[in-house]
Amino acid sequence: MNVSVPKETAAGERRVALVPEVAGRLVQDGLEVTVESGAGEGAHHPDAAYEEAGARSGDGFSGDVVVKVAPPSADEIGRLAEGSVLVGFLQPLTASETIRALADRGVTSFAMEAIPRITRAQSMDALSSQATVSGYRAALIAAQELPRFFPMLTTAAGTVRPAKVLVLGAGVAGLQAIATARRLGAVVQAFDVRSAVKEQIESLGARFLELDMGLEDAEAAGGYARALTDEEQQRQRELLAEEIGKMDAVISTAAVPGRRAPLLVTEQAVKNMSPGSVIVDLAAETGGNCELTEPGETVVKEDVIIAGPLNLAASMPDHASSLYARNVQSLLGLMVADGELSLDFEDEVIAGACITRDGQIVHEGAKQAAGVTA
Ligand code: NAD
């Protein structure tokens, strides 16, 4: 069986689906690995490193299984052979045109974001591995942009109080942002609508921000948050606006799968912040948690610095690719038996992650998003 790795073409995408170390392990397991020339460049892995690991240089779309990071462009879909298998982030709930094109092309596709988040599949969880990178980087951006120290300092020139940081949304990215901001010495509070995370927040040395929202818990299927009602959201925004005014930095990571990011930080909340404060809005990709965020830009509004970085994981491509490659390796482990491709659609992970097959969209969420009726 041949696994191939194309060079990513999406703007700003510097990650690669397999790093040389993992390519080498697949070769040792008896697979052939073909890597497009320059595929690892953005992540600082030269072609020679892949060759040393036993991979061949060649067409990145030629494999029985093609492994990618970003969703394929229309051109790239055209390069996939009918009947081939594609593995990558495919945005099945939002990129309906891509999903339809994959089905039409007869590609069996698997979305990394659709892998069920069950214990057995933890090693394949690329949403988590990449969110870890984003959360870490978000805290660094906040520290970098803030015209103040994060840690408390006692110096001959006086004492500096530590920065107050609020993290909104304490999923994987939020928890990593909390941990990183804490390591830099900030005093951190965090808020999430899932009450289950309170303990996790506290175990990182942060305080759970209690908002009197009259909300029991908003955990839904799969451990994700449910979307709040309009009234709940309005109440949350009002309560948050006051708390945000006391912060030096806000790192927002709140998301609900397949939907626009919830709006948590209003213009009024930004006005309440002291001049020079910072907001890093990790939800910029899905519309932003802050009303004033401009996705992909860092802007200054009301003398508050508002960063809306996109695809933050790609800004740390070496480790982001290493973690992603291990997620892919682990998934491939489920797809291969005795060196041959063997897809067991009875397996919950294989079935759950499969988006298109036999010319059809087979994933429920992707079907709904594409308007396919039974
Ligand atoms: P996500 O990126 O979908 O959302 C980020 C966070 O935003 C979540 O914690 C969510 O509760 C929160 N949020 C949503 N609406 C909000 C609002 N209005 N206000 C404040 N916060 C809001 O989440 P994620 O990081 O992908 O993780 C989702 C869940 O999956 C978590 O429970 C996590 O522990 C779980 N998970 C399980 C596994 C596993 O078992 N294999 C692995 C990773 C994550």
Side-chain angles (χ1 to χ4, degrees):
M1 183 181 112
N2 184 289
V3 177
S4 71
V5 185
K7 181 173 167 60
E8 296 293 323
T9 55
E13 186 51 79
R14 290 163 59 198
R15 292 170 294 178
V16 60
L18 289 183
V19 295
E21 185 204 347
V22 173
R25 272 192 253 145
L26 295 178
V27 169
Q28 275 173 8
D29 289 346
L31 304 185
E32 280 175 25
V33 178
T34 305
V35 181
E36 186 172 331
S37 177
E41 240 166 40
H44 309 284
H45 297 296
D47 291 349
Y50 288 97
E51 279 160 36
E52 259 167 51
R56 288 195 307 217
S57 181
D59 181 352
F61 288 92
S62 62
D64 305 307
V65 179
V66 177
V67 293
K68 265 186 92 339
V69 181
S73 65
D75 276 358
E76 289 174 332
I77 292 172
R79 291 178 65 189
L80 287 162
E82 195 184 328
S84 63
V85 171
L86 174 69
V87 170
F89 282 122
L90 302 178
Q91 299 172 357
L93 303 184
T94 47
S96 298
E97 217 171 290
T98 303
I99 302 304
R100 262 192 232 106
L102 285 169
D104 291 347
R105 186 78 193 160
V107 172
T108 307
S109 63
F110 294 89
M112 294 303 280
E113 46 291 64
I115 292 175
R117 289 180 118 172
I118 54 174
T119 309
R120 182 165 68 89
Q122 261 177 2
S123 60
M124 308 166 200
D125 187 349
L127 280 180
S128 288
S129 71
Q130 303 307 294
T132 299
V133 177
S134 314
Y136 169 78
R137 295 292 274 197
L140 296 188
I141 292 172
Q144 172 79 20
E145 294 289 349
L146 188 71
R148 304 167 200 147
F149 280 108
F150 259 31
M152 185 181 95
L153 294 181
T154 312
T155 81
T159 300
V160 172
R161 68 160 179 81
K164 287 188 203 145
V165 174
L166 175 63
V167 175
L168 296 174
V172 182
L175 290 172
Q176 191 55 234
I178 294 170
T180 306
R182 286 281 303 139
R183 286 185 198 116
L184 289 171
V187 173
V188 183
Q189 294 189 48
F191 176 75
D192 199 296
V193 286
R194 292 181 298 119
S195 47
V197 294
K198 180 169 189 252
E199 233 172 83
Q200 295 168 27
I201 290 168
E202 287 170 352
S203 74
L204 292 170
R207 200 161 72 79
F208 184 75
L209 177 68
E210 304 276 359
L211 290 185
D212 186 16
M213 284 173 66
L215 189 73
E216 270 300 296
D217 185 16
E219 183 149 336
Y224 289 107
R226 68 165 168 83
L228 302 186
T229 63
D230 288 347
E231 293 75 40
E232 285 170 338
Q233 285 200 39
Q234 184 58 29
R235 177 97 184 114
Q236 179 181 18
R237 283 194 283 263
E238 283 166 11
L239 291 169
L240 273 177
E242 200 176 310
E243 297 301 326
I244 287 167
K246 302 173 193 162
M247 299 295 150
D248 295 291
V250 172
I251 300 170
S252 65
T253 75
V256 179
R259 287 174 173 263
R260 190 209 181 281
L263 200 58
L264 306 180
V265 183
T266 56
E267 184 172 358
Q268 184 57 50
V270 176
K271 283 185 179 150
N272 292 351
M273 294 183 91
S274 65
S277 299
V278 173
I279 296 171
V280 180
D281 190 349
L282 267 196
E285 206 113 14
T286 50
N289 290 143
C290 172
E291 206 167 10
L292 302 184
T293 295
E294 291 182 18
E297 308 288 335
T298 297
V299 294
V300 181
K301 292 185 179 170
E302 310 292 341
D303 208 4
V304 171
I305 300 137
I306 306 172
L310 299 176
N311 198 10
L312 206 43
S315 71
M316 211 177 85
D318 187 348
H319 271 166
S321 301
S322 292
L323 298 177
Y324 184 76
R326 281 183 224 154
N327 297 143
V328 169
Q329 181 195 5
S330 189
L331 178 62
L332 287 175
L334 270 192
M335 296 181 158
V336 179
D338 301 324
E340 296 299 323
L341 184 64
S342 162
L343 298 175
D344 173 9
F345 287 98
E346 299 293 310
D347 184 298
E348 182 185 3
V349 176
I350 295 291
C354 187
I355 307 299
T356 62
R357 186 183 166 201
D358 298 332
Q360 307 287 328
I361 302 177
V362 294
H363 180 272
E364 278 312 317
K367 267 197 219 171
Q368 274 181 24
V372 176
T373 44

